[in-house]
Amino acid sequence: MSETPNLFSPYRLGPVELKNRIVMAPMTRNRAGQGNVPSPLMVTYYEQRASAGLIVSEASQVSQQGVGYPGTPGIHTPEQVAGWKKVIEAVHAKGGKIFLQLWHVGRISHPSLQPEGGLPVAPSAIAAQGQLFTFTGMQDFVVPRALDAKEIPGIVSDFADGARHAKAAGFDGVEIHAASGYLIDQFLRDCANQRTDAYGGSPQNRVRFLREVTEAVIGVWGTERVGVRFSPVSDFNSMADSNPDSTFGYAAEAMNQLKIGYLHVVDPIGAEAAPGPRVTRTIRTRYRGTLIANGSYDLQTGNAALASGEADLVSFGALFLANPDLPERFARGGKQLNSPDRPTYYGGDQHGYTDYPFLQG
Ligand SMILES: Cc1cc2nc3c(=O)[nH]c(=O)nc-3n(C[C@H](O)[C@H](O)[C@H](O)COP(=O)(O)O)c2cc1C
């Protein structure tokens, strides 16, 4: 007889035993050091949050071409691997589990961040709207260079190398970042992908790049320790799709066929929710494995998502950023919560990073 699960129920994620179903969502914090190497401050930050059932690390670029912001950690040099090793050892010493999020930003970059000042790359030569933060202040997004199909295997192999490096560092698994308007999401959604070759057009074709990356990463890790993240209705980084249910229904089915370890779906339920139907329910019917729900959840709505079977695990972003002991705070009723301080989200020092107080007593 299985009891109704809640956030405190343990969970078996393939071979990875999670002590609860509270996942720390991936969050870019721009505190990496010189050479995009994970810093000692990052060791403290992740160690403080090791009571999560699972931590998904901040997005980490698989190549120099995949960089979109200052101070984000990478997973493509020996120094970066050594830096991550210290983070992982600290999390493991506290009984935590941690996956690395593998990242390539695609068009969300700038020549000043690219190798030899080149243009960022994307499925199609369509610029994102607005500006991005660079070493020289805010800059307009540039029109990216559309990738030649011949270049795609090289990027797939950068993801495989990132996966290999993550394994060497000692992570418990990896999550492929296919959300938030970065390279893989740019291929998935038709606002950014207007290719006429085998990587554009139908959902089948737009999912091809994700499928190739996922197969390559599974080649390194096996199926069970590989997760994938989607944000079907998020408009972040000026993204949109003409039919999210169709695109992400198909993408979910493709991930089901590949038997990945989990799907992580950003589909907000709170004040920031996009108008229109949520896509998680469609995904749930097309993907039969572990589903992590994300987007404005709290103790009550997180427990409800688990009890109804909508999700198997729930991830928390801003709440975990501001509450290093979030599981303990939830266990005590979830009323006493620190508020997240937005001005210190991206970059800076320990302030707004490792100095959020723990509950007393
Ligand atoms: C500071 C910050 C950084 C983020 N960085 C990432 C990231 O690196 N990768 C990612 O997939 N999502 C990122 N996100 C999105 C979160 O993982 C999450 O989807 C979002 O905060 C909504 O969840 P919440 O309502 O529980 O905060 C970030 C969010 C915040 C607040």
Side-chain angles (χ1 to χ4, degrees):
M1 261 280 298
S2 59
E3 287 177 18
T4 306
N6 64 31
L7 288 168
F8 304 99
S9 315
Y11 190 78
R12 201 180 271 267
L13 182 62
V16 189
E17 303 270 355
L18 309 186
K19 59 195 169 207
N20 59 48
R21 298 184 187 215
I22 303 169
V23 177
M24 176 174 161
M27 281 178 288
T28 292
R29 304 304 308 277
N30 309 78
R31 262 85 167 181
Q34 199 68 19
N36 303 85
V37 173
S39 58
L41 201 55
M42 287 169 60
V43 175
T44 306
Y45 168 76
Y46 282 108
E47 180 181 36
Q48 287 177 336
R49 288 158 179 78
S51 62
L54 175 67
I55 294 173
V56 182
S57 82
E58 63 206 277
S60 304
Q61 55 269 357
V62 296
S63 63
Q64 191 60 37
Q65 187 195 59
V67 179
Y69 308 89
T72 56
I75 189 70
H76 57 94
T77 72
E79 294 77 18
Q80 292 163 356
V81 172
W84 277 121
K85 224 176 226 165
K86 295 189 184 116
V87 171
I88 299 159
E89 282 165 7
V91 170
H92 285 169
K94 288 267 159 80
K97 299 283 195 290
I98 180 165
F99 277 39
L100 177 83
Q101 194 181 49
L102 295 167
W103 195 27
H104 188 306
V105 299
R107 68 180 184 173
I108 305 301
S109 187
H110 188 265
S112 63
L113 295 161
Q114 288 293 305
E116 290 149 32
L119 284 174
V121 298
S124 301
I126 303 168
Q129 302 297 307
Q131 292 197 313
L132 86 170
F133 183 75
T134 70
F135 286 110
T136 50
M138 297 305 288
Q139 303 267 4
D140 288 342
F141 282 113
V142 296
V143 176
R145 179 173 68 78
L147 282 163
D148 189 294
K150 289 202 233 40
E151 297 175 86
I152 292 177
I155 299 183
V156 171
S157 103
D158 287 341
F159 273 94
D161 288 345
R164 250 185 294 283
H165 293 145
K167 201 167 186 188
F171 280 101
D172 296 294
V174 289
E175 176 175 293
I176 297 167
H177 197 347
S180 307
Y182 298 110
L183 184 63
I184 299 176
D185 199 22
Q186 289 158 29
F187 272 89
L188 289 174
R189 292 201 258 176
D190 55 14
C191 78
N193 181 349
Q194 289 174 11
R195 296 177 75 93
T196 52
D197 64 3
Y199 291 93
S202 63
Q204 287 87 330
N205 279 357
R206 283 182 275 129
V207 169
R208 190 177 309 278
F209 178 58
L210 166 67
R211 186 195 290 276
E212 290 177 358
V213 168
T214 308
E215 283 170 347
V217 172
I218 287 174
V220 175
W221 277 94
T223 56
E224 292 178 306
R225 290 172 187 266
V226 175
V228 171
R229 191 171 220 231
F230 293 153
S231 57
V233 294
S234 165
D235 61 2
F236 183 60
N237 284 324
S238 49
M239 289 300 287
D241 189 73
S242 57
N243 191 340
D245 261 300
S246 158
T247 300
F248 287 92
Y250 182 83
E253 206 168 282
M255 296 302 101
N256 195 56
Q257 284 162 4
L258 292 179
K259 299 189 162 42
I260 59 165
Y262 70 79
L263 251 190
H264 192 172
V265 183
V266 187
D267 195 4
I269 58 169
E272 291 167 33
R278 298 177 58 221
V279 182
T280 308
R281 288 190 191 91
T282 305
I283 288 179
R284 191 62 155 160
T285 61
R286 311 270 296 265
Y287 171 75
R288 309 307 306 162
T290 297
L291 195 135
I292 309 180
N294 171 261
S296 311
Y297 283 91
D298 59 19
L299 174 61
Q300 280 72 33
T301 53
N303 275 331
L306 297 179
S308 69
E310 189 180 342
D312 303 295
L313 302 166
V314 180
S315 75
F316 300 88
L319 282 182
F320 230 126
L321 174 156
N323 295 277
D325 51 355
L326 187 64
E328 176 65 21
R329 287 171 188 262
F330 278 169
R332 296 202 209 168
K335 297 265 187 292
Q336 278 180 278
L337 295 170
N338 303 320
S339 302
D341 175 50
R342 283 177 184 263
T344 49
Y345 274 9
Y346 304 107
D349 53 16
Q350 77 282 355
H351 180 53
Y353 190 55
T354 53
D355 64 355
Y356 283 105
F358 284 72
L359 275 179
Q360 300 298 314

